[in-house]
Amino acid sequence: MKPVNQVPRVVATAKRDSVRTHLLDLIEQSGPGTALPAERDLAGRLGVSRPTVRAAIEDLTRLGLLVRHQGRGTFTSPRKITQELAGNSASAFGVPPAEGDWTSRVLTFRIAPAGAPRAARLKLSPADPVLRVVRLRLVDDEPMAIERMDLPAHLVEGLEAQDMESGNFYRLLRERFGVTVSDAVQSIEPTVTNPDQADLLDIPVYAPVLLIERTTRDTEGAIVEFVRSIYRGDRYRIISKLSFDSTSG
């Protein structure tokens, strides 16, 4: 038998679990970005208190299944932007093949000597000029990623900040500067946002994000860029297609 003083706690937990189950059903039945009923309506419908409903919503918000907008209400999470982790053409390195209008807001655009760390990454002399571009990537005007690019300045003489606001950067390299990318080495790992990143992406501090680093070479084997990007973990996912032969275990 449970001690009497634990009974209210057990009942409260059972009610919250019931609300959570109901909300999970709503999420499954609704499309991305669908508004949920108000807390007051949910509480009345389910016969529980508003704090119980709020606690269940907060649980699912922490899991990334719901999103709360101050003054607007609670919504199912927006659709995820999907990028296939494969490609054998320049276009595959560019904007992820997903629905939505991808644009960029340029935050930094400056040329400076490479310095030791960037020179090592780009195989340059520390005194060689490097163009640093930092841009906020948006999908349908919603912040999705922060991208920091380092480019050997001599490859992109005449490039301007507005050139980086839309379109495919690798196509721009090929058509305007005669640089054709050939291959890239890319790493992906989980991390969390710092305050500056969280502010730009409009997500909480320490929210999960994907850190993607990429070194890209042209057809002659020269390094064209080093890119370090932070993508929202709640909105962005990467998929891979695998092929197996008869020797695969």
Side-chain angles (χ1 to χ4, degrees):
M1 178 180 294
K2 299 183 186 300
V4 174
N5 60 356
Q6 289 189 12
V7 171
R9 183 180 303 173
V10 172
V11 172
T13 300
K15 287 184 176 180
R16 187 167 70 178
D17 288 345
S18 176
V19 175
R20 194 174 186 273
T21 299
H22 178 79
L23 292 175
L24 288 171
D25 289 340
L26 282 179
I27 293 169
E28 186 175 351
Q29 296 164 11
S30 305
T34 300
L36 294 188
E39 289 180 3
R40 180 186 298 105
D41 295 337
L42 284 170
R45 181 186 306 173
L46 300 175
V48 298
S49 66
R50 288 184 64 181
T52 297
V53 171
R54 189 174 301 118
I57 288 175
E58 288 173 354
D59 285 345
L60 297 179
T61 300
R62 282 191 291 269
L63 291 174
L65 299 176
L66 294 175
V67 178
R68 306 191 75 172
H69 295 290
Q70 187 68 32
R72 293 177 53 203
T74 303
F75 299 79
T76 59
S77 293
R79 64 181 175 86
K80 284 183 177 284
I81 303 301
T82 300
Q83 179 182 8
E84 184 178 339
L85 188 62
N88 55 11
S89 68
S91 62
F93 291 117
V95 174
E99 296 177 356
D101 180 25
W102 282 76
T103 57
S104 298
R105 175 155 56 90
V106 176
L107 306 175
T108 301
F109 191 92
R110 65 169 181 264
I111 295 176
R118 290 195 295 181
R121 291 193 184 104
L122 297 172
K123 304 299 182 185
L124 298 173
S125 165
D128 288 339
V130 169
L131 173 62
R132 163 67 59 84
V133 181
V134 181
R135 56 184 183 167
L136 180 65
R137 306 299 311 278
L138 305 110
V139 179
D140 299 331
D141 294 324
E142 291 281 339
M144 182 63 58
I146 303 167
E147 182 182 72
R148 188 189 71 192
M149 310 171 68
D150 288 325
L151 310 161
H154 71 275
L155 290 181
V156 290
E157 291 184 3
L159 184 70
E160 299 182 358
Q162 57 263 35
D163 296 326
M164 306 297 291
E165 294 175 352
S166 62
N168 185 302
F169 176 63
Y170 296 102
R171 184 177 298 117
L172 177 68
L173 278 180
R174 183 175 67 251
E175 294 177 353
R176 185 187 298 183
F177 301 103
V179 176
T180 301
V181 297
S182 174
D183 57 83
V185 176
Q186 182 167 275
S187 65
I188 304 170
E189 60 183 281
T191 185
V192 296
T193 54
N194 61 34
D196 291 338
Q197 293 165 343
D199 184 58
L200 285 170
L201 294 174
D202 194 24
I203 55 179
V205 179
Y206 306 125
V209 290
L210 292 175
L211 168 62
I212 301 177
E213 293 187 344
R214 181 172 68 251
T215 301
T216 308
R217 296 178 181 271
D218 66 13
T219 52
E220 297 181 356
I223 295 177
V224 172
E225 64 169 1
F226 174 76
V227 182
R228 188 178 192 272
S229 302
I230 296 291
Y231 280 80
R232 288 177 55 165
D234 64 328
R235 294 291 315 277
Y236 192 77
R237 66 181 173 187
I238 294 174
I239 62 172
S240 299
K241 288 185 177 180
L242 306 178
S243 297
F244 300 93
D245 57 30
S246 58
T247 63
S248 301

